[in-house]
Amino acid sequence: MNTSTTCLSASYLPTLMTYMTSLISEHSDTLPPVHLHSGDHFDFIVVGAGSAGCVVANRLSEITGWSVLLLEAGGEEPATTQVPAFLPYSFGSPIDWGYRTEKQTKSCGGHECYWPRGKVLGGTSALNAMIYNRGNSHDYDHWAEQGNTGWSYKDVLPYFKKSENNMDPDIANNTKYHSTGGYLSVQRYPYLEKNAKAIHEAFRELGYNGIDFNTETHTGVMFAQATQENGERRSTNKAFIEPIRHKRANLKVVPNVRVTKILIHPENKTAYGVEYANEIDRSETGRVFASKEIVLSAGAVNSPQLLMLSGIGLKETLEPLGIHVIQELNVGRNLQDHFSAPGVFFTLNEKARALPSNEEILIDSVKYSKAKRDGPWATVAASGTCAKVSTRYANHSIDNPDFQLIFTTHSSCAETKMPICYYDEINFHSTLLRPKSRGYVTINTTDPFVQPLIYPNYFTAPEDVDATLESYNIAIQLGNTKALKDAGFVLNASFVPTKEDFESGNNPLWEPYAWYSFHHQSGTCKMGPSSDSAAVVDPQLKVHGIHGLRVADASIMPFVTSGNTNAPCIMIGEKVSDMIKNSWDH
């Protein structure tokens, strides 16, 4: 197929996608408004129905004598999110918070960075690439060494297994690390794309073994395990909420409601409820109350914002806004993320190109029929293979690689968004797993509907730049493998960045939105003991100095885990649920 034909076929996609993309437009403003009764009382209020919040709501509502309210600013999860290859259609849609950071100097071409975050039941687990990656066992041992008792790898592994329903027998049989029967289905994608296979073979050619990241072996290459079942996404909404939503009378799930403030008695510093506004009709406001606890699971951006709006944060931030400081804590600091600087990509010859004809697209749609869920739509294309490797900057005395290598796809000729499985270019992303750079989230208004100010500060630590520069060598080695050459990959390393590029921001590849965040923002409500002046929550995830309030999401991570953060957030939800039950003798 020649390029002109390929580009012509790409123009057919808007017609094919009309129905599917219309589903994603059926978001909160087309649904009937949900009315909370102001003044209602519950035992527990969970704020945010994302990767952790859905788990917490499920597990707390297991106690039939407890009433649980789950509040989510976004709406119902649309049908398009279930199709793995359609994940690009979520970005920039109504189910995406669509955050923009403040302008950066050493990343994003000197412009804002785009941060897609899930504003929908399921949160970002409804938008991500579904990679199930627990991180490195050393991550959790390091957390425990910092005074976070109960968070070592030995402590958290049972909670990973508690959720899991692993559907690949060869993996599930390793019962030391995996389990079946949990709410969350985990499975390799049913369709293994040819270029994902070629990338996997290229790593094997370089000496990297095929491994399971979700054990204590971390260096190597893997066909991704994913939070999906037989070709359909399993967000935490689909996995933990839908099976029980209309079966447990003690659980109330309310979408399209934004929590605007946590109510805290200033004298005894006890959280007792929340203020809210209907996301559709913002004039409709009210208060609901919790007799036991409030669990804040709004994510690494919204959780610190809500704490600050409620009087928990730094005096220097809150007092100029007229917010009474109830508890001074380092809220919003310690921001971390996994981020990639563009530098190397692969163009594809006719053999490797994945831009089909109109007829082939229709065949793909038939393959992904309700009966089978197979074919290119049932996968995330080249992203179905990922690897973890060590540069010379890693600690080679332990198995603790410092980079995860991820491959994303791009169509050079499409004038519209394409399913991720249709492309003619593969981008190489080397992401530093344990960045030294730290950013922060803050507020400059008391309006809860104004996004907070986000300063990610990518690559401000020189060590991050040095390690990233070396990581590009692995891409060059891959480009020279027989596996990729035979598959039709053509390496383009013309724009490999230099240290000077990071200082000036002038690399030709560094357009504002060519940079790539892996949606792993974390750390902004840091967990640590009372002796840690930077900590916001203690190892029980209770906010320091405040009664009846916990935070449970990626924001509590003292150090971001070495990989995708969805699985760790689910684990956090599982673990805090048991902590809460134990606190109330259940």
Side-chain angles (χ1 to χ4, degrees), residues 50-89:
S51 295
C54 287
V55 179
V56 175
N58 177 308
R59 295 305 188 184
L60 295 186
S61 64
E62 289 176 335
I63 308 301
T64 56
W66 285 352
S67 57
V68 180
L69 172 65
L70 176 61
L71 297 175
E72 168 57 41
E76 301 290 337
E77 189 176 355
T80 40
T81 64
Q82 304 312 297
V83 186
F86 287 3
L87 71 90
Y89 294 91

Side-chain angles (χ1 to χ4, degrees), residues 60-181:
L60 295 186
S61 64
E62 289 176 335
I63 308 301
T64 56
W66 285 352
S67 57
V68 180
L69 172 65
L70 176 61
L71 297 175
E72 168 57 41
E76 301 290 337
E77 189 176 355
T80 40
T81 64
Q82 304 312 297
V83 186
F86 287 3
L87 71 90
Y89 294 91
S90 295
F91 300 148
S93 78
I95 67 170
D96 176 10
W97 285 96
Y99 286 127
R100 294 289 191 274
T101 72
E102 297 303 296
K103 289 184 178 180
Q104 297 298 289
T105 56
K106 297 189 177 183
S107 61
C108 299
H111 298 268
E112 304 167 341
C113 307
Y114 166 50
W115 277 16
R117 309 300 301 157
K119 186 182 181 184
V120 63
L121 290 173
T124 307
S125 74
L127 272 69
N128 65 6
M130 295 159 277
I131 307 302
Y132 183 79
N133 185 347
R134 297 171 179 174
N136 196 301
S137 57
H138 298 289
D139 296 336
Y140 304 102
D141 290 339
H142 186 44
W143 289 8
E145 289 164 2
Q146 305 302 305
N148 294 299
T149 304
W151 289 89
S152 71
Y153 183 64
K154 179 182 70 175
D155 294 317
V156 303
L157 179 59
Y159 289 103
F160 282 113
K161 294 172 67 177
K162 183 177 182 178
S163 293
E164 186 181 17
N165 177 38
N166 200 292
M167 300 180 67
D168 293 317
D170 61 316
I171 293 175
N173 287 340
N174 186 351
T175 56
K176 180 179 179 180
Y177 297 104
H178 293 283
S179 64
T180 58

Side-chain angles (χ1 to χ4, degrees), residues 241-259:
I241 296 300
E242 282 198 359
I244 64 166
R245 186 171 177 179
H246 302 295
K247 295 180 180 178
R248 295 183 186 171
N250 63 332
L251 173 64
K252 185 171 186 177
V253 180
V254 186
N256 307 312
V257 168
R258 184 188 298 226
V259 172

